[in-house]
Amino acid sequence: MSSAATLSPAFATLTFEQKLDRLAEVAVRIGLGLKPGQELVLTASTEALPLVRLITEHAYKAGAKLVTTFYADDATTLARYQNAPDDAFDYAPAWYYDAIAAAFKSGAARMAIAGANPALLAKQDPNKVSRANVAVSKAYKPAMELITRHEINWTIVAGATPAWAALVFPDDAPEAALSKLWDAIFFCTRITSDDPVAAWKQHGENLKKRVDFLNNKRFHALRFHTADGSTDLTVGLADQHLWAGGGTTAGNGIYCQPNMPTEECFTTPHKDRVNGVVTASKPLSHQGTLIENIRCTFKDGKIVEATATAGEAALNKLISTDEGARKLGEVALVPHNSPIAQSGILFWSTLFDENAASHIALGQAYSTCLIGGEKMSNEELATLGANESLIHVDWMIGGPTMNVDGLAADGTADPLMRNGDWV
Ligand code: ZN
Ligand code: ZN
């Protein structure tokens, strides 16, 4: 079973506008599976306007009742950090997030266009950044729960921006960097074959086969280990854990692909059964700070020691967000032959980087990764081992040297991945 993406010669002959149009169409038809009569709430950077317009056009062609876009702008975000009074950073507009939750409850689909400058807040006070994020997480929680519980169809797609491109391709002139980033987005989002809709269906089926295999195994734990010993981590899986990957049928009955790209098979770890040491295989770009060479020791589920060669303060701030921020909410397997890994590019964006390597996430677990989890209370979820937190931050641990075993309850090991790829 191959995970390779194809780059057809015909795709290269398309104009940029045509390529962008194809991305918009696939995002609406495959990413969202938007249904006639459905409303769409879109969030995007002002720099994504051309893509927003094409997505909006395809959404109306698919029968959307109304498309509403909320824009963010890097310069105005920065203006707040540089000029607003200090006590304003504990505030988030509940009225705005309540309105988004109300839209979701009344049947709206959600799409986000990612692409803001990952280093935008790098020079700002990390304390302010963290307080502002906590305030937003709290205000956003009711809407976010509808997303994490997959009550509605949603997706995230990326749009290149000059600042992001400059970070990914620092040695190129601005225009070349931007064009390289767009090419990488088109390739990794699997829209470069002759029939991207069919390619996505095939890719979804491949992921589904892998997910079914893992679900049938009912592993008790996974063990990640590298020959050099930099990682030897046993991640217990939650009782009644369920592997997911590729498309999902949301609570509203609509089949969607929640991330574009998506290459991972993921599930819920047991919040109290993670032990060992783990070293990140890629830097983590978190809210504008680049955290490099993360190394963590876990004991009974909790991080007891965390170090990084850069951004250690931001890392410690992050894991101190709340009780659950030191524990895992997700574990995901991604082969080294995914198009994102094959591109060799560090995107400084979780949407891409998490699909380049096996990873773990600190914080909130997905209730949909537990059998019957969507209908459980937070207390029931916690009893099964699902973690709860205001954060959910993925970081990459996989790569060409990673080995993964599935462990049965008696400790018997079943090799799943060797040197980064499926056995
Ligand atoms: Zn993931
Ligand atoms: Zn995640």
Side-chain angles (χ1 to χ4, degrees), residues 3-5 187-188 282 335-345 355-356 421:
S3 301
F187 178 69
C188 295
K282 287 189 175 222
H336 191 61
N337 68 3
S338 85
I340 298 90
Q342 289 308 297
S343 75
I345 297 167
N355 286 302
D421 280 315

Side-chain angles (χ1 to χ4, degrees), residues 162 165-166 169 172-182:
F169 299 105
D172 289 284
E175 242 168 63
L178 189 61
S179 137
K180 271 188 175 176
L181 183 55
W182 273 119

Side-chain angles (χ1 to χ4, degrees), residues 11 16 19-20 23 47-48 50-52 113-114 157-162 164-165 169 175-189 191-192 347 352:
F11 186 78
F16 174 72
K19 292 174 182 173
L20 204 60
L23 179 64
E47 289 174 299
L51 182 56
V52 168
I113 301 178
V157 67
T161 56
W164 180 20
F169 299 105
E175 242 168 63
L178 189 61
S179 137
K180 271 188 175 176
L181 183 55
W182 273 119
D183 284 342
I185 289 171
F186 295 145
F187 178 69
C188 295
T189 314
I191 62 154
T192 54
F347 285 88
F352 287 83

Side-chain angles (χ1 to χ4, degrees), residues 140-387:
Y140 195 22
K141 205 175 181 204
M144 197 61 190
E145 267 182 2
L146 298 170
I147 294 170
T148 56
R149 285 176 180 262
H150 283 294
E151 297 277 344
I152 60 160
N153 52 326
W154 61 273
T155 198
I156 307 176
V157 67
T161 56
W164 180 20
L167 196 66
V168 179
F169 299 105
D171 301 329
D172 289 284
E175 242 168 63
L178 189 61
S179 137
K180 271 188 175 176
L181 183 55
W182 273 119
D183 284 342
I185 289 171
F186 295 145
F187 178 69
C188 295
T189 314
R190 293 177 179 269
I191 62 154
T192 54
S193 67
D194 288 332
D195 187 348
V197 170
W200 264 94
K201 285 191 174 140
Q202 183 61 51
H203 176 52
E205 279 167 26
N206 289 348
L207 280 170
K208 173 110 183 27
K209 272 185 214 160
R210 193 66 74 188
V211 162
D212 289 347
F213 165 82
L214 291 164
N215 278 329
N216 287 332
K217 285 284 185 181
R218 305 306 315 154
F219 288 122
H220 184 72
L222 299 179
R223 181 177 163 232
F224 293 85
H225 53 105
T226 51
D228 65 0
S230 57
T231 290
D232 193 345
L233 185 74
T234 300
V235 178
L237 300 180
D239 302 334
Q240 299 183 38
H241 71 271
L242 199 59
W243 286 89
T248 309
T249 301
N252 62 9
I254 299 172
Y255 188 75
C256 63
Q257 297 283 346
N259 283 324
M260 298 185 73
T262 184
E263 304 285 335
E264 57 172 349
C265 296
F266 60 103
T267 193
T268 297
H270 194 293
K271 64 186 173 63
D272 303 324
R273 296 187 198 145
V274 182
N275 285 288
V277 60
V278 60
T279 304
S281 55
K282 287 189 175 222
L284 169 65
S285 158
H286 179 67
Q287 318 283 9
T289 306
L290 306 177
I291 308 174
E292 295 180 55
N293 300 305
I294 303 174
R295 191 176 161 88
C296 289
T297 306
F298 283 85
K299 190 162 187 317
D300 297 332
K302 213 170 177 175
I303 293 179
V304 290
E305 198 191 345
T307 58
T309 55
E312 194 176 285
L315 175 65
N316 279 306
K317 191 123 242 157
L318 175 69
I319 63 177
S320 306
T321 306
D322 55 23
E323 183 69 19
R326 280 176 186 275
K327 296 185 169 196
L328 297 188
E330 179 193 342
V331 59
L333 298 176
V334 180
H336 191 61
N337 68 3
S338 85
I340 298 90
Q342 289 308 297
S343 75
I345 297 167
L346 177 67
F347 285 88
W348 304 106
S349 157
T350 300
L351 178 62
F352 287 83
D353 294 329
E354 80 160 335
N355 286 302
S358 292
H359 56 272
I360 48 184
L362 294 170
Q364 181 66 37
Y366 286 104
S367 57
T368 47
C369 286
L370 291 157
I371 297 166
E374 308 91 316
K375 294 186 176 65
M376 289 179 196
S377 66
N378 288 344
E379 290 70 31
E380 289 171 300
L381 292 167
T383 307
L384 295 174
N387 195 32

Side-chain angles (χ1 to χ4, degrees), residues 8 20 38 53 98 162 340 344-345 365 404:
S8 98
L20 204 60
Q38 214 184 1
R53 287 178 173 154
D98 288 349
I340 298 90
I345 297 167
V404 185

